[in-house]
Amino acid sequence: MTLSFAQIALDSVDPRRLAEFWIQALNYRVDEEEEGVISLVPRDGDGPPIDILTVPEHKSVKNRLHLDLRATGSTGSEEVRRLLDLGAVRADVGQDPDVTWTVLADPEGNEFCVLGTSGE
């Protein structure tokens, strides 16, 4: 027996803002919106769906699980600049200063890494 990803779920106190960030960051679109849940899907079908769930509390500790995203069609540094412009912030999770990836956090503080393209 094997498992596969059905979707990624993100908790949010401001789901509309978080949805807009991930729509722009990943080229997703809203698939469905119900009370307390905004469901996003990739425009090109490449990637798992994301459900953004409304919760009352803010994030308070470092993620125990995070996304690693690879730059495609641009460099990692170009993607980092674009994501910062969209509302991401640089995050320090204890990474060594010589790592080849950049740690960012989305507008709700969820950490994720931007990996460079091969050869970068």
Side-chain angles (χ1 to χ4, degrees):
M1 199 172 274
T2 61
L3 296 173
S4 62
F5 279 102
Q7 61 206 42
I8 295 170
L10 293 172
D11 290 349
S12 176
V13 295
D14 188 350
R16 175 72 41 215
R17 180 175 179 225
L18 192 60
E20 189 55 39
F21 173 81
W22 286 110
I23 285 168
Q24 296 298 315
L26 297 173
N27 193 29
Y28 273 43
R29 65 175 176 79
V30 173
D31 182 52
E32 192 175 334
E33 192 166 346
E34 299 175 13
E35 173 120 11
V37 180
I38 301 173
S39 296
L40 308 179
V41 294
R43 290 183 193 274
D44 64 3
D46 186 26
I50 298 172
D51 279 351
I52 299 178
L53 311 167
T54 304
V55 297
E57 70 279 351
H58 290 272
K59 180 178 173 292
S60 61
V61 297
K62 176 180 158 295
N63 294 4
R64 297 294 298 229
L65 174 72
H66 69 266
L67 303 176
D68 282 347
L69 306 174
R70 182 167 309 283
T72 57
S74 61
T75 67
S77 9
E78 288 169 334
E79 282 303 305
V80 166
R81 279 192 298 278
R82 185 178 74 85
L83 292 164
L84 291 170
D85 288 344
L86 292 174
V89 295
R90 292 185 184 274
D92 182 355
V93 294
Q95 67 271 25
D96 188 282
D98 297 328
V99 297
T100 59
W101 59 88
T102 302
V103 182
L104 299 176
D106 71 17
E108 293 262 348
N110 299 301
E111 299 93 4
F112 63 97
C113 295
V114 177
L115 310 176
T117 52
S118 52
E120 183 183 15

